[in-house]
Amino acid sequence: QKEVEQNSGPLSVPEGAIASLNCTYSDRGSQSFFWYRQYSGKSPELIMFIYSNGDKEDGRFTAQLNKASQYVSLLIRDSQPSDSATYLCAVLSGNTPLVFGKGTRLSVIA
Amino acid sequence: DAGITQSPRYKITETGRQVTLMCHQTWSHSYMFWYRQDLGHGLRLIYYSAAADITDKGEVPDGYVVSRSKTENFPLTLESATRSQTSVYFCASSEDRDYGYTFGSGTRLTVV
């Protein structure tokens, strides 16, 4: 069973700070990694994906991947109250569809 | 409307009844998926489809049936609903297996 682990939170950060969300995965052969944001009562929305080791930046978001440690993270710079949501990590391995973590709830305090 | 749409948004049904959740996408994406989301379990894959007439089981397929006679539609049927199938159901689609998925708005199903 391929597993994706996230701390459920809540992770509370003050407005303007950096929020750091972490995810580990069990299948060493995993090749693609995705971050989704889900507001309460809404559907998941893709915000970042990363395939290669290192960092990938998109606006205030940075995804970091370390395949040797089987670790992927999402950094949100200059956090805003509108960033308050649950963040889902998802991993693609082999021929199977995305496996999702249970999500980390982020709360940005104004 | 362009995109991926699910219907109904909310459904209450009785134990033992058959219920079908609909999913329609306008992008002609090859891949379509059904997930359920429950507190404490996150998103779990029920069934998926790589193309019309091709479907495969996910992590939690028992009690569910799918079909895909047309690329744009991927209905999910609960043959005899049970209380344990009370959940939020999300349909998703993707152009390619390695791409991220786009989710529909979800169907909140309550089995009483």
Side-chain angles (χ1 to χ4, degrees):
Chain A
Q1 180 75 6
K2 296 167 183 174
E3 296 183 346
V4 178
E5 300 287 341
Q6 296 181 255
N7 188 318
S8 62
L11 173 66
S12 294
V13 300
E15 183 175 359
I18 296 175
S20 178
L21 303 159
N22 304 315
C23 172
T24 59
Y25 57 94
S26 63
D27 185 355
R28 186 168 290 278
S30 300
Q31 68 262 35
S32 305
F33 307 86
F34 303 83
W35 282 100
Y36 283 79
R37 178 177 61 201
Q38 186 176 24
Y39 292 113
S40 180
K42 301 296 185 182
S43 57
E45 172 193 12
L46 179 64
I47 54 173
M48 288 284 293
F49 59 89
I50 186 167
Y51 302 136
S52 304
N53 274 332
D55 295 359
K56 179 181 179 181
E57 188 174 318
D58 183 2
R60 294 187 297 113
F61 299 98
T62 298
Q64 299 177 316
L65 175 61
N66 183 327
K67 289 188 176 181
S69 300
Q70 295 175 234
Y71 179 94
V72 58
S73 64
L74 179 71
L75 302 178
I76 306 175
R77 289 183 300 282
D78 188 24
S79 295
Q80 301 297 309
S82 58
D83 294 325
S84 298
T86 296
Y87 289 80
L88 306 173
C89 173
V91 177
L92 192 64
S93 303
N95 292 320
T96 57
L98 283 178
V99 176
F100 285 82
K102 295 178 183 178
T104 298
R105 187 156 58 93
L106 172 67
S107 179
V108 181
I109 311 299
Chain B
D1 290 338
I4 182 166
T5 55
Q6 292 184 236
S7 60
R9 287 298 310 276
Y10 303 92
K11 176 75 176 177
I12 299 174
T13 192
E14 294 178 338
T15 302
R17 290 196 180 267
Q18 182 181 83
V19 60
T20 296
L21 310 184
M22 304 302 292
C23 180
H24 174 79
Q25 52 104 355
T26 61
W27 296 303
S28 298
H29 283 173
S30 296
Y31 287 83
M32 296 188 75
F33 310 87
W34 275 105
Y35 286 85
R36 60 178 289 175
Q37 188 172 38
D38 305 284
L39 271 175
H41 289 281
L43 280 163
R44 292 182 291 173
L45 182 68
I46 304 170
Y47 271 96
Y48 66 103
S49 168
D53 297 322
I54 300 175
T55 62
D56 210 344
K57 296 179 180 179
E59 180 186 354
V60 289
D62 293 344
Y64 303 96
V65 174
V66 293
S67 63
R68 195 160 176 215
S69 57
K70 293 183 178 181
T71 299
E72 60 267 29
N73 295 325
F74 191 38
L76 176 74
T77 297
L78 288 66
E79 295 183 293
S80 177
T82 65
R83 290 193 181 89
S84 65
Q85 292 177 311
T86 293
S87 186
V88 180
Y89 291 85
F90 287 106
C91 178
S93 72
S94 178
E95 183 179 359
D96 189 89
R97 195 187 67 83
D98 293 335
Y99 293 3
Y101 305 165
T102 302
F103 284 82
S105 299
T107 294
R108 182 175 294 274
L109 176 68
T110 303
V111 183
V112 298

